[in-house]
Every structure is written in structure tokens, then in C-alpha cells.
Coordinates of all heavy atoms in Angstrom, one line a residue:
M1 N 12.7 -25.9 25.4 CA 12.0 -25.3 26.5 C 11.5 -26.4 27.4 O 11.1 -27.5 27.0 CB 10.8 -24.7 25.8 CG 10.0 -23.8 26.8 SD 8.6 -22.9 26.0 CE 9.5 -21.4 25.6
K2 N 11.5 -26.2 28.7 CA 11.1 -27.1 29.6 C 9.6 -27.4 29.6 O 8.9 -26.6 29.3 CB 11.4 -26.6 31.1 CG 13.0 -26.3 31.3 CD 13.7 -27.5 31.5 CE 15.2 -27.1 32.0 NZ 16.0 -28.3 31.9
A3 N 9.2 -28.7 29.9 CA 7.8 -29.1 29.8 C 7.0 -28.3 30.9 O 5.9 -27.9 30.5 CB 7.7 -30.6 30.1
W4 N 7.6 -28.1 32.0 CA 6.7 -27.4 33.0 C 6.6 -25.9 32.7 O 5.5 -25.3 33.1 CB 7.5 -27.4 34.3 CG 8.8 -26.8 34.5 CD1 10.0 -27.5 34.2 CD2 9.2 -25.6 34.8 NE1 11.1 -26.7 34.4 CE2 10.6 -25.4 34.7 CE3 8.5 -24.4 35.1 CZ2 11.3 -24.3 34.9 CZ3 9.2 -23.2 35.4 CH2 10.5 -23.1 35.3
I5 N 7.3 -25.3 31.7 CA 7.0 -24.0 31.2 C 5.9 -24.0 30.1 O 5.1 -23.2 30.0 CB 8.2 -23.4 30.7 CG1 9.3 -23.1 31.8 CG2 8.0 -22.1 30.0 CD1 10.7 -22.7 31.4
C6 N 5.9 -25.1 29.3 CA 5.0 -25.2 28.3 C 3.5 -25.5 28.8 O 2.5 -25.0 28.0 CB 5.3 -26.3 27.3 SG 6.8 -25.9 26.4
L7 N 3.3 -26.1 29.8 CA 2.1 -26.5 30.3 C 1.1 -25.3 30.6 O 0.0 -25.3 30.1 CB 2.1 -27.4 31.5 CG 2.6 -28.9 31.3 CD1 2.8 -29.6 32.6 CD2 1.8 -29.7 30.3
P8 N 1.7 -24.2 31.3 CA 0.7 -23.1 31.4 C 0.3 -22.4 30.1 O -0.7 -21.9 30.0 CB 1.5 -22.2 32.3 CG 2.6 -23.0 33.1 CD 2.9 -24.2 32.1
M9 N 1.3 -22.4 29.2 CA 1.1 -21.7 27.9 C 0.0 -22.5 27.2 O -0.9 -21.9 26.5 CB 2.3 -21.7 27.1 CG 3.3 -20.6 27.8 SD 4.7 -20.0 26.9 CE 5.3 -21.3 25.9
I10 N 0.1 -23.8 27.2 CA -0.9 -24.7 26.5 C -2.3 -24.5 27.2 O -3.3 -24.4 26.4 CB -0.5 -26.2 26.6 CG1 0.7 -26.4 25.7 CG2 -1.6 -27.1 26.2 CD1 1.4 -27.8 25.9
A11 N -2.3 -24.3 28.5 CA -3.6 -24.2 29.2 C -4.3 -22.8 28.7 O -5.4 -22.7 28.6 CB -3.4 -24.1 30.7
L12 N -3.4 -21.8 28.6 CA -3.9 -20.5 28.2 C -4.4 -20.6 26.7 O -5.5 -20.0 26.5 CB -2.8 -19.4 28.3 CG -2.4 -19.0 29.6 CD1 -1.2 -18.0 29.6 CD2 -3.6 -18.2 30.3
V13 N -3.8 -21.3 25.9 CA -4.2 -21.3 24.4 C -5.5 -22.1 24.4 O -6.5 -21.6 23.8 CB -3.1 -22.1 23.6 CG1 -3.7 -22.4 22.3 CG2 -1.9 -21.1 23.4
L14 N -5.7 -23.2 25.2 CA -6.8 -23.9 25.2 C -8.1 -23.1 25.8 O -9.1 -23.2 25.3 CB -6.7 -25.3 26.0 CG -5.8 -26.3 25.2 CD1 -5.7 -27.5 26.1 CD2 -6.4 -26.6 23.9
A15 N -7.8 -22.4 26.8 CA -8.8 -21.5 27.4 C -9.2 -20.4 26.5 O -10.5 -20.1 26.4 CB -8.2 -20.8 28.7
G16 N -8.3 -19.9 25.7 CA -8.7 -18.9 24.7 C -9.6 -19.5 23.6 O -10.5 -18.8 23.2
C17 N -9.3 -20.7 23.2 CA -10.1 -21.4 22.2 C -11.5 -21.6 22.7 O -12.5 -21.4 22.1 CB -9.5 -22.6 21.7 SG -8.0 -22.5 20.8
A18 N -11.6 -22.1 24.0 CA -12.9 -22.4 24.6 C -13.7 -21.1 24.7 O -14.9 -21.1 24.5 CB -12.6 -23.0 26.0
G19 N -13.0 -20.0 25.0 CA -13.8 -18.8 25.2 C -14.3 -18.2 23.9 O -15.4 -17.6 23.8
K20 N -13.5 -18.5 22.8 CA -13.9 -17.9 21.5 C -15.1 -18.7 21.0 O -15.9 -18.2 20.3 CB -12.7 -18.2 20.6 CG -12.9 -17.6 19.2 CD -11.6 -17.6 18.3 CE -11.8 -16.8 17.1 NZ -10.6 -16.7 16.4
T21 N -15.3 -20.0 21.3 CA -16.4 -20.7 20.8 C -17.6 -20.8 21.8 O -18.6 -21.4 21.4 CB -15.9 -22.2 20.5 OG1 -15.5 -22.8 21.7 CG2 -14.9 -22.2 19.4
A22 N -17.5 -20.2 23.0 CA -18.5 -20.3 23.9 C -19.8 -19.6 23.3 O -20.9 -20.1 23.7 CB -18.1 -19.7 25.2
Y23 N -19.7 -18.6 22.6 CA -20.8 -17.9 22.1 C -21.3 -18.4 20.7 O -22.2 -17.8 20.1 CB -20.5 -16.4 22.1 CG -20.6 -15.7 23.3 CD1 -19.4 -15.6 24.1 CD2 -21.7 -15.2 23.9 CE1 -19.3 -15.0 25.3 CE2 -21.7 -14.6 25.1 CZ -20.6 -14.5 25.9 OH -20.5 -13.9 27.1
R24 N -20.7 -19.3 20.2 CA -21.0 -19.9 18.8 C -22.4 -20.2 18.6 O -23.0 -19.7 17.7 CB -20.1 -21.0 18.3 CG -20.3 -21.4 16.9 CD -19.5 -22.6 16.6 NE -18.1 -22.5 16.8 CZ -17.2 -23.3 16.7 NH1 -17.5 -24.4 16.2 NH2 -15.9 -23.0 17.0
D25 N -22.9 -21.1 19.5 CA -24.4 -21.5 19.3 C -25.2 -20.3 19.6 O -26.3 -20.2 18.9 CB -24.6 -22.6 20.3 CG -23.8 -23.9 19.9 OD1 -23.5 -24.0 18.7 OD2 -23.7 -24.8 20.9
S26 N -25.0 -19.5 20.6 CA -25.9 -18.4 20.9 C -25.9 -17.4 19.7 O -27.0 -16.9 19.4 CB -25.3 -17.7 22.2 OG -26.1 -16.6 22.4
C27 N -24.7 -17.1 19.1 CA -24.7 -16.3 17.9 C -25.6 -16.9 16.9 O -26.4 -16.1 16.3 CB -23.3 -16.2 17.5 SG -23.0 -15.5 15.8
A28 N -25.5 -18.1 16.5 CA -26.2 -18.7 15.4 C -27.7 -18.6 15.7 O -28.5 -18.3 14.8 CB -25.7 -20.1 15.2
S29 N -28.1 -19.0 16.9 CA -29.5 -19.1 17.2 C -30.1 -17.7 17.3 O -31.3 -17.4 16.8 CB -29.8 -19.8 18.6 OG -29.3 -19.1 19.6
Q30 N -29.4 -16.6 17.9 CA -29.9 -15.3 18.0 C -30.0 -14.7 16.6 O -31.0 -13.9 16.3 CB -29.0 -14.4 18.8 CG -29.1 -14.7 20.3 CD -30.4 -14.2 21.0 OE1 -31.0 -13.3 20.5 NE2 -30.7 -14.9 22.0
L31 N -29.0 -15.0 15.8 CA -29.0 -14.4 14.4 C -30.1 -15.0 13.6 O -30.9 -14.3 12.9 CB -27.6 -14.8 13.8 CG -27.1 -13.9 12.6 CD1 -27.2 -12.3 12.9 CD2 -25.7 -14.3 12.2
D32 N -30.4 -16.3 13.7 CA -31.4 -17.0 12.9 C -32.8 -16.4 13.4 O -33.7 -16.0 12.5 CB -31.4 -18.4 13.1 CG -30.3 -19.0 12.3 OD1 -29.7 -18.4 11.4 OD2 -30.0 -20.3 12.6
A33 N -33.0 -16.3 14.6 CA -34.2 -15.8 15.2 C -34.5 -14.3 14.8 O -35.6 -13.9 14.3 CB -34.3 -15.9 16.7
A34 N -33.5 -13.6 14.8 CA -33.6 -12.1 14.4 C -33.9 -11.9 13.0 O -34.8 -11.2 12.6 CB -32.3 -11.4 14.8
W35 N -33.3 -12.8 12.1 CA -33.5 -12.6 10.6 C -35.1 -13.0 10.4 O -35.7 -12.4 9.6 CB -32.6 -13.4 9.8 CG -31.3 -12.8 9.6 CD1 -30.1 -13.3 10.0 CD2 -31.0 -11.6 8.8 NE1 -29.1 -12.4 9.7 CE2 -29.6 -11.5 8.8 CE3 -31.8 -10.7 8.1 CZ2 -29.1 -10.3 8.3 CZ3 -31.2 -9.7 7.5 CH2 -29.8 -9.5 7.6
Q36 N -35.5 -14.0 11.1 CA -36.9 -14.5 10.9 C -37.9 -13.3 11.4 O -38.9 -13.1 10.8 CB -37.2 -15.7 11.6 CG -36.5 -17.0 11.0 CD -36.7 -18.2 11.9 OE1 -37.3 -18.2 12.8 NE2 -36.1 -19.3 11.5
E37 N -37.6 -12.8 12.6 CA -38.4 -11.7 13.1 C -38.3 -10.5 12.2 O -39.3 -9.7 12.0 CB -37.9 -11.3 14.5 CG -38.2 -12.4 15.5 CD -37.5 -12.2 16.8 OE1 -36.9 -11.1 17.0 OE2 -37.6 -13.0 17.7
L38 N -37.2 -10.2 11.6 CA -37.1 -9.1 10.6 C -37.9 -9.3 9.4 O -38.6 -8.4 9.0 CB -35.6 -8.9 10.3 CG -35.3 -7.5 9.5 CD1 -35.4 -6.3 10.6 CD2 -34.0 -7.6 9.0
D39 N -37.9 -10.5 8.9 CA -38.7 -10.9 7.8 C -40.2 -10.7 8.1 O -41.0 -10.2 7.3 CB -38.6 -12.3 7.3 CG -37.2 -12.5 6.6 OD1 -36.6 -11.4 6.2 OD2 -36.7 -13.6 6.5
L40 N -40.6 -11.1 9.3 CA -42.0 -10.9 9.8 C -42.4 -9.3 9.8 O -43.5 -9.0 9.4 CB -42.2 -11.5 11.1 CG -42.4 -13.1 11.0 CD1 -42.5 -13.5 12.5 CD2 -43.6 -13.5 10.3
A41 N -41.5 -8.6 10.4 CA -41.7 -7.2 10.5 C -41.9 -6.5 9.1 O -42.7 -5.6 8.9 CB -40.6 -6.5 11.2
K42 N -41.0 -7.0 8.2 CA -41.2 -6.4 6.8 C -42.6 -6.9 6.2 O -43.0 -6.0 5.6 CB -40.0 -7.0 5.9 CG -40.0 -6.5 4.6 CD -38.8 -7.0 3.7 CE -38.7 -6.4 2.4 NZ -37.6 -7.0 1.7
A43 N -42.8 -8.1 6.4 CA -44.1 -8.6 5.8 C -45.3 -7.8 6.3 O -46.4 -7.6 5.7 CB -44.3 -10.0 6.0
E44 N -45.2 -7.4 7.7 CA -46.3 -6.7 8.3 C -46.2 -5.2 8.0 O -47.0 -4.4 8.4 CB -46.1 -6.8 9.8 CG -46.3 -8.2 10.3 CD -46.1 -8.5 11.8 OE1 -45.4 -7.7 12.4 OE2 -46.5 -9.5 12.3
G45 N -45.3 -4.7 7.2 CA -45.2 -3.4 6.7 C -44.4 -2.4 7.5 O -44.6 -1.2 7.4
F46 N -43.6 -3.0 8.4 CA -42.7 -2.1 9.2 C -41.4 -1.8 8.7 O -40.5 -1.3 9.4 CB -42.6 -2.7 10.7 CG -43.9 -2.7 11.3 CD1 -44.6 -3.9 11.5 CD2 -44.5 -1.6 11.8 CE1 -45.8 -4.0 12.2 CE2 -45.8 -1.6 12.4 CZ -46.4 -2.9 12.6
A47 N -41.1 -2.1 7.4 CA -39.8 -2.0 6.9 C -39.3 -0.5 6.8 O -38.1 -0.3 6.7 CB -39.7 -2.7 5.5
G48 N -40.2 0.4 6.8 CA -39.7 1.8 6.7 C -39.4 2.5 7.9 O -39.0 3.6 7.8
T49 N -39.5 1.9 9.0 CA -39.2 2.5 10.4 C -37.8 2.7 10.7 O -37.0 1.9 10.1 CB -39.9 1.7 11.5 OG1 -39.3 0.5 11.7 CG2 -41.4 1.6 11.3
V50 N -37.5 3.6 11.4 CA -36.1 3.8 11.9 C -35.6 2.6 12.7 O -34.4 2.1 12.4 CB -35.9 5.1 12.7 CG1 -34.5 5.2 13.3 CG2 -36.3 6.3 11.8
S51 N -36.4 2.0 13.5 CA -36.0 0.9 14.3 C -35.6 -0.3 13.4 O -34.8 -1.1 13.6 CB -37.1 0.5 15.3 OG -37.3 1.5 16.3
Y52 N -36.4 -0.5 12.2 CA -36.2 -1.6 11.3 C -34.8 -1.4 10.7 O -34.0 -2.4 10.6 CB -37.3 -1.7 10.3 CG -37.1 -2.7 9.2 CD1 -37.8 -3.9 9.4 CD2 -36.4 -2.6 8.1 CE1 -37.7 -4.9 8.5 CE2 -36.2 -3.5 7.2 CZ -36.8 -4.7 7.4 OH -36.7 -5.8 6.4
S53 N -34.5 -0.2 10.3 CA -33.2 0.1 9.8 C -32.0 -0.2 10.6 O -31.0 -0.6 10.3 CB -33.2 1.6 9.2 OG -34.1 1.8 8.3
K54 N -32.2 0.2 11.9 CA -31.2 -0.1 12.9 C -31.0 -1.5 13.1 O -29.9 -2.0 13.2 CB -31.5 0.6 14.3 CG -31.4 2.1 14.3 CD -31.9 2.5 15.7 CE -31.8 4.1 15.8 NZ -32.2 4.6 17.1
A55 N -32.1 -2.3 13.1 CA -32.0 -3.7 13.3 C -31.3 -4.3 12.1 O -30.4 -5.2 12.2 CB -33.5 -4.4 13.4
L56 N -31.6 -3.8 10.9 CA -30.9 -4.5 9.7 C -29.5 -4.2 9.7 O -28.7 -5.1 9.3 CB -31.6 -3.8 8.4 CG -31.1 -4.3 7.1 CD1 -31.3 -5.8 7.0 CD2 -31.8 -3.6 6.0
S57 N -29.1 -3.0 10.1 CA -27.7 -2.6 10.2 C -26.9 -3.5 11.3 O -25.9 -4.1 11.0 CB -27.5 -1.2 10.6 OG -28.0 -0.4 9.5
L58 N -27.5 -3.6 12.4 CA -27.0 -4.5 13.4 C -26.9 -5.9 13.0 O -25.9 -6.6 13.3 CB -27.8 -4.5 14.7 CG -27.7 -3.2 15.6 CD1 -28.8 -3.1 16.6 CD2 -26.4 -3.2 16.2
L59 N -27.9 -6.5 12.3 CA -27.8 -7.9 11.9 C -26.8 -8.1 10.8 O -26.1 -9.1 10.7 CB -29.1 -8.3 11.3 CG -30.2 -8.5 12.5 CD1 -31.5 -8.9 11.8 CD2 -29.8 -9.7 13.4
T60 N -26.6 -7.1 9.9 CA -25.4 -7.2 8.9 C -24.2 -7.3 9.6 O -23.2 -8.0 9.2 CB -25.6 -5.9 8.0 OG1 -26.9 -5.9 7.2 CG2 -24.5 -6.0 6.9
A61 N -24.0 -6.3 10.7 CA -22.7 -6.4 11.4 C -22.5 -7.7 12.1 O -21.4 -8.3 12.2 CB -22.7 -5.2 12.4
A62 N -23.6 -8.2 12.7 CA -23.6 -9.5 13.4 C -23.2 -10.6 12.5 O -22.3 -11.4 12.9 CB -24.9 -9.7 14.1
K63 N -23.7 -10.6 11.3 CA -23.3 -11.8 10.4 C -21.8 -11.6 10.0 O -21.2 -12.7 9.9 CB -24.2 -11.6 9.2 CG -23.9 -12.7 8.1 CD -24.3 -14.0 8.7 CE -24.1 -15.2 7.7 NZ -24.4 -16.4 8.2
T64 N -21.4 -10.4 9.9 CA -19.9 -10.2 9.6 C -19.1 -10.8 10.7 O -18.1 -11.5 10.5 CB -19.6 -8.7 9.3 OG1 -20.4 -8.3 8.2 CG2 -18.2 -8.5 9.0
Q65 N -19.5 -10.5 12.0 CA -18.8 -10.9 13.1 C -18.8 -12.4 13.2 O -17.8 -13.1 13.6 CB -19.3 -10.3 14.4 CG -18.9 -8.9 14.5 CD -19.2 -8.2 15.8 OE1 -20.4 -8.4 16.3 NE2 -18.3 -7.6 16.4
Q66 N -19.9 -13.1 12.9 CA -20.0 -14.5 12.8 C -19.0 -15.0 11.9 O -18.4 -16.1 12.2 CB -21.4 -14.9 12.5 CG -21.6 -16.4 12.5 CD -22.9 -16.8 12.0 OE1 -23.5 -16.3 11.2 NE2 -23.6 -17.8 12.7
Q67 N -18.9 -14.5 10.7 CA -18.0 -15.0 9.7 C -16.6 -14.9 10.2 O -15.7 -15.7 9.8 CB -18.2 -14.3 8.4 CG -19.5 -14.6 7.8 CD -19.9 -13.7 6.6 OE1 -19.4 -12.6 6.4 NE2 -20.8 -14.2 5.7
F68 N -16.2 -13.9 11.0 CA -14.8 -13.8 11.5 C -14.7 -14.3 12.9 O -13.7 -14.1 13.6 CB -14.6 -12.3 11.6 CG -14.2 -11.7 10.2 CD1 -15.2 -11.0 9.5 CD2 -13.0 -11.9 9.6 CE1 -14.8 -10.5 8.2 CE2 -12.7 -11.5 8.3 CZ -13.7 -10.7 7.6
E69 N -15.7 -15.2 13.3 CA -15.6 -15.9 14.5 C -15.6 -15.0 15.8 O -15.0 -15.4 16.8 CB -14.6 -16.9 14.6 CG -14.7 -18.0 13.5 CD -13.5 -18.9 13.5 OE1 -12.6 -18.9 14.3 OE2 -13.6 -19.9 12.6
A70 N -16.2 -13.8 15.6 CA -16.3 -12.9 16.8 C -17.7 -13.1 17.4 O -18.6 -12.3 17.3 CB -16.1 -11.5 16.4
Y71 N -17.9 -14.3 18.0 CA -19.2 -14.7 18.4 C -19.9 -14.0 19.5 O -21.1 -13.7 19.5 CB -19.2 -16.3 18.8 CG -18.7 -17.1 17.7 CD1 -17.5 -17.9 17.8 CD2 -19.4 -17.2 16.5 CE1 -17.1 -18.6 16.9 CE2 -18.9 -17.9 15.4 CZ -17.8 -18.8 15.6 OH -17.3 -19.6 14.6
E72 N -19.1 -13.5 20.4 CA -19.7 -12.7 21.5 C -20.3 -11.4 21.0 O -21.4 -11.0 21.3 CB -18.6 -12.4 22.6 CG -19.2 -11.7 23.8 CD -18.2 -11.5 24.9 OE1 -17.0 -12.0 24.8 OE2 -18.6 -11.0 26.0
G73 N -19.6 -10.7 20.0 CA -20.0 -9.4 19.5 C -21.3 -9.8 18.6 O -22.3 -9.0 18.5
C74 N -21.3 -10.9 17.9 CA -22.4 -11.4 17.1 C -23.7 -11.5 18.0 O -24.7 -11.0 17.6 CB -22.1 -12.6 16.4 SG -23.4 -13.6 15.6
T75 N -23.5 -12.2 19.1 CA -24.6 -12.4 20.0 C -25.2 -11.1 20.5 O -26.4 -10.9 20.5 CB -24.1 -13.2 21.2 OG1 -23.7 -14.5 20.7 CG2 -25.3 -13.5 22.1
S76 N -24.3 -10.2 21.0 CA -24.7 -8.9 21.5 C -25.4 -8.1 20.4 O -26.5 -7.6 20.7 CB -23.4 -8.1 21.9 OG -23.8 -6.9 22.2
K77 N -24.9 -8.0 19.2 CA -25.6 -7.3 18.1 C -26.9 -7.9 17.7 O -27.9 -7.2 17.4 CB -24.7 -7.2 16.9 CG -23.7 -6.0 17.1 CD -22.8 -6.0 15.8 CE -21.7 -4.8 16.0 NZ -20.9 -5.0 17.2
S78 N -27.0 -9.2 17.7 CA -28.2 -9.9 17.3 C -29.4 -9.6 18.4 O -30.5 -9.4 18.1 CB -28.0 -11.4 17.3 OG -27.1 -11.7 16.2
E79 N -28.9 -9.6 19.6 CA -29.9 -9.4 20.8 C -30.4 -7.9 20.6 O -31.6 -7.7 20.8 CB -29.3 -9.6 22.1 CG -29.0 -11.1 22.4 CD -28.2 -11.3 23.6 OE1 -27.6 -10.4 24.2 OE2 -28.1 -12.5 24.0
R80 N -29.4 -7.0 20.4 CA -29.9 -5.6 20.1 C -30.8 -5.4 19.0 O -31.8 -4.7 19.0 CB -28.7 -4.7 20.1 CG -28.0 -4.5 21.5 CD -26.8 -3.7 21.5 NE -26.6 -2.7 20.5 CZ -25.4 -2.4 19.8 NH1 -24.4 -3.1 20.1 NH2 -25.4 -1.5 18.9
A81 N -30.5 -6.1 18.0 CA -31.3 -6.1 16.8 C -32.7 -6.6 17.0 O -33.7 -6.0 16.6 CB -30.8 -6.9 15.6
R82 N -32.9 -7.6 17.8 CA -34.2 -8.1 18.1 C -35.0 -7.1 18.9 O -36.2 -7.0 18.8 CB -34.0 -9.5 18.9 CG -33.5 -10.5 18.0 CD -33.3 -11.9 18.7 NE -34.6 -12.4 18.8 CZ -35.0 -13.6 19.5 NH1 -33.9 -14.2 20.2 NH2 -36.1 -14.0 19.5
F83 N -34.3 -6.4 19.8 CA -34.9 -5.3 20.5 C -35.5 -4.2 19.6 O -36.6 -3.8 19.7 CB -33.9 -4.6 21.5 CG -34.5 -3.3 22.0 CD1 -35.3 -3.2 23.0 CD2 -34.0 -2.0 21.5 CE1 -35.8 -2.0 23.5 CE2 -34.5 -0.8 21.9 CZ -35.4 -0.9 23.0
Y84 N -34.7 -3.8 18.5 CA -35.2 -2.8 17.7 C -36.2 -3.4 16.7 O -37.1 -2.7 16.3 CB -34.0 -2.3 16.8 CG -33.2 -1.2 17.5 CD1 -31.8 -1.6 17.8 CD2 -33.6 0.0 17.9 CE1 -31.1 -0.6 18.5 CE2 -32.9 0.8 18.6 CZ -31.6 0.5 18.9 OH -30.9 1.4 19.6
I85 N -36.3 -4.7 16.5 CA -37.4 -5.3 15.7 C -38.7 -5.2 16.4 O -39.7 -4.9 15.9 CB -37.1 -6.7 15.3 CG1 -35.8 -6.8 14.3 CG2 -38.2 -7.5 14.7 CD1 -35.1 -8.2 14.2
R86 N -38.5 -5.5 17.7 CA -39.8 -5.3 18.6 C -40.3 -3.9 18.6 O -41.5 -3.6 18.5 CB -39.5 -5.8 20.0 CG -39.4 -7.3 20.1 CD -39.3 -7.8 21.6 NE -38.2 -7.3 22.3 CZ -37.0 -7.8 22.3 NH1 -36.7 -8.9 21.6 NH2 -36.0 -7.4 23.1
E87 N -39.3 -2.9 18.7 CA -39.7 -1.6 18.7 C -40.3 -1.2 17.3 O -41.3 -0.5 17.3 CB -38.5 -0.7 18.8 CG -37.8 -0.7 20.3 CD -38.8 -0.1 21.2 OE1 -39.1 1.2 21.1 OE2 -39.2 -0.8 22.1
S88 N -39.8 -1.7 16.3 CA -40.4 -1.4 14.9 C -41.8 -2.0 14.8 O -42.7 -1.3 14.3 CB -39.5 -2.2 13.8 OG -40.1 -2.1 12.6
R89 N -42.0 -3.2 15.2 CA -43.4 -3.7 15.2 C -44.4 -3.1 16.1 O -45.5 -3.1 15.9 CB -43.3 -5.2 15.6 CG -42.5 -5.9 14.5 CD -42.4 -7.5 14.8 NE -43.6 -8.2 14.5 CZ -43.8 -9.4 14.7 NH1 -42.8 -10.2 15.3 NH2 -44.9 -10.0 14.4
A90 N -43.8 -2.4 17.1 CA -44.7 -1.6 18.0 C -44.9 -0.2 17.5 O -45.6 0.7 18.1 CB -44.0 -1.5 19.4
G91 N -44.3 0.1 16.3 CA -44.5 1.4 15.7 C -43.6 2.5 16.2 O -43.8 3.7 16.0
R92 N -42.6 2.1 16.8 CA -41.6 3.1 17.4 C -40.3 3.2 16.5 O -39.9 2.3 15.9 CB -41.2 2.8 18.8 CG -42.4 3.0 19.7 CD -41.9 2.7 21.2 NE -41.9 1.4 21.5 CZ -42.8 0.7 22.2 NH1 -43.7 1.3 22.9 NH2 -42.6 -0.6 22.5

């Protein structure tokens, strides 16, 4: 294969790798913060609310996505979980 043909393919592969890891740090920090907030909500007695259950489900899914390196989905689910945790603590 000619070198000039390989260069664009290498660039695409590298761009794909960069895009995959772009959300890695965000995923980890959002996930950690959400688990801490969930623990606080549980300690405050909000573990029985529907919002708490939604948050727990989202965090479980986010952790799975993190393990499979689906960082963008992990970040999204973690952010949504944090919303439901706030709703839970507000009694909704």
C-alpha cells in the first residue's frame, strides 16, 4: 500500500482514539462525585425515593460503560444520576 494512502487512515485511527478518551477524566470525576452524593442521600434517609432508585440504576449503568471505555455515555449517565440525587434529597 502506498504511504500517501496510509496517512489518512492513520489520522482517522488516531482521531478515533483521542475521541474515545476525551471523556475519560469527566467520566471518572462525575462518577466519583455521584457515588459520594448518593451515599449522603442514603445517610440522610432518602434511599427509599423513586429518584434515588433512578440515580442508583444510572450509576450502575455508568460504571459498566466506564469499564467498557464508553466514557461519553458514562459521563452523561453520571450527570443525569446527580440530577436525580438532587431530586431525591429535595423529596421528589
Side-chain angles (χ1 to χ4, degrees):
M1 191 176 266
K2 301 277 185 194
W4 59 272
I5 294 174
C6 291
L7 290 177
M9 292 189 329
I10 291 171
L12 284 173
V13 169
L14 292 176
C17 292
K20 189 172 190 175
T21 59
Y23 285 91
R24 183 185 306 178
D25 292 337
S26 177
C27 166
S29 65
Q30 288 288 336
L31 201 52
D32 287 343
W35 280 114
Q36 289 175 2
E37 291 169 8
L38 193 70
D39 287 342
L40 285 174
K42 183 178 181 180
E44 293 171 349
F46 294 107
T49 65
V50 172
S51 294
Y52 181 95
S53 298
K54 287 180 182 181
L56 181 59
S57 294
L58 284 165
L59 287 178
T60 302
K63 183 63 179 174
T64 301
Q65 287 189 311
Q66 183 187 39
Q67 291 171 339
F68 286 100
E69 299 180 1
Y71 300 119
E72 187 173 359
C74 167
T75 299
S76 174
K77 282 183 177 53
S78 297
E79 289 170 350
R80 286 180 23 224
R82 293 181 77 187
F83 166 78
Y84 283 116
I85 294 165
R86 287 190 300 274
E87 290 291 299
S88 173
R89 294 177 78 186
R92 296 184 278 249

